């Protein structure tokens, strides 16, 4: 399998940036989950470019649910969502297609597909494909919410500026970030990040950062020791988000110099439940949830499409070349990637939970 | 699937630390790969505890290849390797089984398996299981070597000390680290790391660090955009190595504050091949190899089993408790985890390459 | 996975009879396969109802290829084909939805989906879904044809009438049946079958039969001993075709009373190749092709939707009931199922061959 | 995946007839299932050759459960069962290895594995591998029994003699056949079958037949419409049993000349449950169980190894040749294959049920 992920709840994506449409199929979602079109639209809006810190391309994402939903609820059969493409300016691409954009997939797509790839606008590698994941992920988020599971992601760091961490009791923070177009908990940090993004844009450059995701409400005992650790299963999918180059659970790289006596999370009883005093392990021990919030961070590299002139090659001619990118590009995608992380996380968790507790569990009262 | 990973070449592991045996099945390896028993033994030796910085438990790993090898070569049918357990001291475990070791899987195993788990010595969660991966991985390493693909891993950081990076032409470094019991390129760094490990041991504590792996010789065009990015496929497996809590490709978290103009790797022709001037992306663009060395780093948390007294719970009684661990434990596992990373990487790459080029490719001249 | 089949080339289907659209995604098809829209249209026509022996519902199947094809060739990324529904008369279904049609999936769908299923016109269980398989299968048939592999299916038996078998040199027979709307080699048998279908229709009843498929040009050495025998892999998919209740390779049930000395196919050299004198094993030994034509037969039960009054239950009320079906129904589907068998066989063989020889093999000259 | 089948409960097999050992790994079995060694032994005895109608090779099958079982119950982690080989006479095989036994996998193994295959005694293709499936299947049968699900298989036809069908209330028949070494319901039919097997043996020939399996106690609503129909999922695995060349559910080929009004199974309420008056569909509609017994038949071809002289080829030399087989061979395997069918069916059903109702369901009271 290549473009399909998951087993009990499987996601298949399709589409190219400048083809007819992009979309996805979700197979195995429990029957009876409400499909809230306003919520889907709200989620798509969070992904949509907006303002000075995004591309000028206006995407309306007029999605169609062509199967798997009947009378406002999931049927249990495959949900196919199609988002037609429009506003595509394709003519410019042919001339420069062999000039590999550094950091982008032009050359590797060519190496893999031997020139048959649809190269226009990044083709199948375009971030546009994530719109389908967001639309489908909205259904997964609704399903999880029905079981008391909430997902929140904020921009923990961007362009050298750090946000504050989630509060010890994260419910309010999660509710807040879920609706923010620019999901930063600390307003001053948010302002400083925006400033730096705008400065990079002005400079024809781009910035990256770190997303931090928290998941609350997962029961203990979910995940596997080998090889389907919850870490591995989530990371596998998350590395599919364009620009994600690192995934860590809990503190990992950030606490790696500390000894075991610091890194270990002491267990303690609280309100009759097993909890931990700290959460350096991100809520997962031995690949399995321990009942604490699951916490992970994603390294989102700077958008590779920048306006500054770059050294590259023409891979048709096998010659060095100079590249000057035109068109519409984001100086940062991290704020748009945020809702993609939430959506994909929700889809993967639906898969893991349906595998653990059965195909109907997500819809049970 | 839980304990099986891979599709064209699939690995299934089994076993508990204090059961009859541990082992693995490798299914789909090309027929005709030489099986070098001396090499397998040498690899197992690299994983075996040795000296002051390891556990006192002596493991002889008298592995048996019970299927899939005939007249010294792989047959193409499943290779099953069984490593019987011995030297197990099981009697002590029952008394303290409900005292969850912080950072370990005792509680999560209980939450998942409802008390039926073999809790002795970590059971199925024990690092001992990785001996099978090392034995099987040796066959995969041999297969890749036949195609000019080499894997090397060093301890990039341990207990706050950093090793030097791989040289720009890494062939000599790779050859060197492949045989080192304590794989550090810089001798002074190695000495300093050992010192800190011994100090932690003396203190009843443990240390962690960062492993860095390099893979050379992979052709361009291997991997998928969604969801089987080479990053995702490798990370999924690598998170199965006990104590791995983070995986990054190229510089990721370490370069996340830099702009796109720095992060992007400029392409350039060299000796008629497309290469990049830097390798911040770890040899992968859009999930697909670009022909540069694949580079990744693993955050290996400190061994959770420490001798210092720890706060915990008794999950049978639902009470807070104090834990004082006895027995034989490693103050660091990173130097032993190194050959596991190599082995698992080799197995995953065999899977990816057999999927890309066919089941016989690895054995073709 | 539920609605996805295959690994190297995977097919995902979606859609309901009276929903927005039906369709499929083919993932992993080699880049560079020509996509011949006239051929797709011709294949869809073979599946379309026609004449007195089919339903009166006219389906135009205005399919759209929304991804994975660029400049007339496959790109190597997922091919999504969407076929919008039209001509649906949905209003009648609600009243009788709880009256389980005998032999149909109304009750089992209810047992599985708890009433959330789209029950209109068979919903996701409708034979209409196979239109997507035919459209997508046309691409697979083209790919196989490029490698010298041809698939032909005829109605070996229908309503008690037998067709003659494929000729020993089947090339002409295959070419002939591939274009026949009613694929019977013997004209007299064809006429007799049509007569019986019309008689059944007049009687408000339906008929079934046996399809026989032949595949020529497959190299020896394709398939696996356990569990991915070529028989098992094909049968798994073929049982998905509505009304297929039996699959046999070679003579199987038909020759089961004969001794081994008859059943065994003697090997002999012919033109420098290993062949067999007979083909009772259907071209497969030990799950693996032997280079002879692959031959299998499908038992296609009579269409369950008949006009005769039937005893059944109302599963909402838990009461016995009488059922009188109205609407448009086929007295036989075997002639329409034929091209579905070809198409699905082609898709499965593309998967098996891409797994065996690599992702690009199907497109190689 | 090749030698692994299943998703929620996955089976991986390994081994060669004359290698060190054969065996299997079962991954995903619910924790807490009792492992009854007497029952495993009894099941292995049913597969073991016995008397005049079997090979003279005595197999003791001294199986070892090397993992996944603790204190007499499954742990939830992979169960690995190893059965060492003994009593192997390997020396004779090299001389005749290139003489392809008709109906056997010698030539196809060579085509697939290029001569690296372990050709001794059928290697990985040997029926001996099924001993592992029987040992592991015993655990699955126990798990199903705990949920009220029973499996019984009889020899419905052998060498031209038919057994009587299962009684309408099959419980007593199932209990009876489960313990019979030669599972035939009608004593006279059994005697006649044995006679014909002995006659074939005397003639240096072999016979085949039809196995019929019934499964009672499955809830309605299990299975999928596409592509994981219960028929397809079972058939995929069952075609892996050596000599199985056909699989049909319900009456299929046997009732194919009848019209829909006969083939359809009328629904009716009985004791508050939905049942059917007949069971021509084998308990499955639209790929999903309807609550009636699941019924299927397997065409088991005659054992290919016969003593009569046969025409064949020497595939090393590419020449026609004569083959005279010596050694120990069964004139019939159908009575031994019977318990393999039960065992594999049980393993597949555990997979399907764990996927439907969750990983713990099989062990729940």
């Amino acid at each position: 399998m290549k473009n399909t992920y998951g087993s009990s709840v499987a996601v298949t994506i399709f589409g190219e940036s400048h083809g007819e449409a992009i979309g996805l199929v979700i197979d195995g979602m429990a029957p009876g989950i409400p499909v809230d079109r306003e919520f889907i639209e709200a989620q798509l809006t969070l992904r949509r470019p907006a303002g000075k810190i995004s591309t000028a391309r206006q995407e309306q994402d007029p999605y169609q649910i062509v199967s798997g939903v009947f009378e406002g609820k999931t049927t249990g059969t495959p949900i196919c969502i199609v988002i037609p493409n429009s506003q595509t300016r394709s003519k410019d691409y042919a001339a420069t297609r062999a000039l590999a954009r550094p950091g982008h997939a032009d050359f590797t797509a060519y190496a893999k597909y031997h020139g048959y790839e649809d190269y226009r606008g990044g083709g199948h590698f375009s971030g546009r494909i994530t719109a389908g994941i967001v639309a489908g992920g909205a259904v997964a988020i609704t399903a999880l919410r029905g079981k008391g599971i909430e997902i929140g992601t904020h921009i923990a760091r961007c362009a050298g500026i750090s946000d504050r961490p989630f509060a010890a009791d994260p419910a309010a923070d999660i509710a807040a970030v879920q609706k923010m177009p620019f999901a930063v908990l600390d307003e001053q940090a948010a302002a400083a990040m925006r400033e730096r993004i705008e400065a990079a844009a002005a400079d024809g450059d781009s910035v990256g950062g770190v997303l931090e995701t928290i998941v609350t409400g997962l029961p203990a005992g979910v995940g596997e020791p080998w090889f389907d650790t919850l870490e591995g299963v989530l990371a596998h999918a998350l590395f599919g988000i364009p620009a994600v180059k690192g995934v860590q659970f809990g503190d990992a790289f950030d606490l790696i110099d500390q000894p075991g006596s610091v890194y270990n999370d002491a267990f303690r009883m609280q309100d009759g439940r097993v909890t931990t005093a700290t959460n350096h392990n991100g809520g997962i021990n031995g690949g399995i949830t321990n009942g604490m919030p699951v916490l992970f961070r994603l390294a989102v590299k700077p958008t590779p499409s920048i306006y500054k002139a770059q050294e590259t090659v023409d891979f048709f001619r096998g010659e060095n070349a100079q590249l000057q990118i035109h068109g519409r590009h984001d100086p940062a995608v991290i704020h748009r990637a945020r809702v993609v992380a939430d959506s994909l996380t929700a889809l993967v968790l639906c898969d893991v939970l349906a595998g653990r507790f059965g195909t109907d569990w997500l819809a049970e009262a």
Side-chain angles (χ1 to χ4, degrees), chain A:
Chain A
M1 229 77 54
K2 297 166 178 74
N3 289 269
T4 295
Y5 192 69
S7 163
S8 299
V9 176
V11 177
T12 299
I13 59 160
F14 56 84
E16 281 80 33
S17 180
H18 287 58
E20 288 290 313
I22 62 107
L24 93 170
V25 182
I26 304 174
D27 186 19
M29 186 59 72
I33 305 289
V35 175
D36 178 344
R37 286 175 181 266
E38 271 182 53
F39 179 58
I40 296 175
E41 185 53 46
Q43 292 290 97
L44 284 168
T45 302
L46 290 176
R47 200 202 73 90
R48 214 164 285 154
K52 271 187 274 189
I53 59 171
S54 300
T55 166
R57 177 174 173 179
Q58 289 305 314
E59 302 175 1
Q60 293 301 330
D61 309 325
Y63 72 96
Q64 302 159 8
I65 303 180
V66 306
S67 70
V69 175
F70 182 54
E71 299 180 341
K73 291 197 171 145
T74 58
T75 58
T77 57
I79 302 163
C80 180
I81 302 179
V82 175
I83 307 180
N85 286 322
S86 59
Q87 273 237 347
T88 54
R89 302 183 192 161
S90 302
K91 59 182 180 214
D92 315 330
Y93 290 98
T96 57
R97 70 169 291 198
L99 293 180
R101 287 171 295 165
H104 222 295
D106 305 322
F107 169 64
T108 57
Y110 177 73
K112 179 172 177 59
Y113 301 116
H114 313 302
Y116 294 107
E117 67 275 9
D118 180 350
Y119 51 81
R120 300 168 301 166
H124 188 56
F125 294 79
S126 166
R128 167 123 182 92
I129 312 299
T130 59
I133 293 172
V134 171
V139 180
I141 289 170
T142 303
L144 294 173
R145 190 161 283 163
K147 304 300 286 188
I149 299 163
E150 292 285 347
I151 303 171
T153 299
H154 71 126
I155 304 172
R157 188 168 179 90
C158 179
I161 310 287
S162 288
D163 190 18
R164 72 162 169 83
F166 284 110
D169 181 344
D173 281 353
I174 293 173
V177 294
Q178 283 176 342
K179 306 202 165 179
M180 291 181 187
F182 193 81
V184 178
L185 293 162
D186 181 296
E187 278 185 42
Q188 284 187 307
M193 289 179 193
R194 285 174 175 278
E195 224 168 81
R196 294 215 181 164
I197 297 173
E198 290 175 29
D203 200 29
D205 213 330
S206 67
V207 304
V210 175
L211 290 174
E212 182 178 53
T213 299
I214 191 167
V215 185
T216 57
L218 281 172
V222 174
E224 301 290 333
W226 316 78
F227 291 95
D228 285 350
T229 60
L230 190 58
E231 292 113 321
V233 168
L234 279 166
H236 189 152
L238 293 165
F239 272 114
I241 302 175
V244 169
K245 297 295 285 187
V247 180
Q248 70 170 47
F249 289 80
D251 290 314
F253 291 110
D254 299 329
L255 202 73
I256 213 63
D257 289 344
Q258 293 299 312
S261 56
V262 171
Y263 203 104
N264 282 351
D265 299 308
F267 287 103
R268 62 179 182 197
M269 298 304 301
Q270 198 171 344
D271 305 328
R273 286 180 57 235
V274 174
T275 62
T276 61
T278 52
N279 194 6
H280 303 310
N281 284 278
I284 303 174
N285 296 132
I288 300 170
T289 52
N290 63 18
M292 293 294 291
V294 166
L295 261 171
F296 55 85
R297 291 178 204 137
L298 307 177
V300 181
K301 72 172 187 174
T303 330
S305 294
I306 57 174
Y307 294 103
K308 283 189 170 174
Q310 296 180 86
E311 299 297 319
T312 190
V313 298
D314 179 315
F315 52 76
F316 279 0
R317 302 189 179 178
E319 287 174 2
N320 288 327
Q322 268 245 333
L323 177 69
Q324 178 71 53
I325 294 177
H326 300 285
R328 302 158 299 183
H329 300 289
D330 296 88
V333 292
I334 191 165
H335 56 295
R336 299 178 62 194
R338 194 265 310 205
V339 69
V340 181
D342 283 355
S343 301
L344 200 48
T345 299
L347 287 161
V348 172
L349 291 176
C350 283
D351 177 35
V352 170
L353 291 163
R356 180 77 174 91
F357 300 117
T359 54
D360 298 342
W361 185 79
L362 283 166
E364 283 164 11

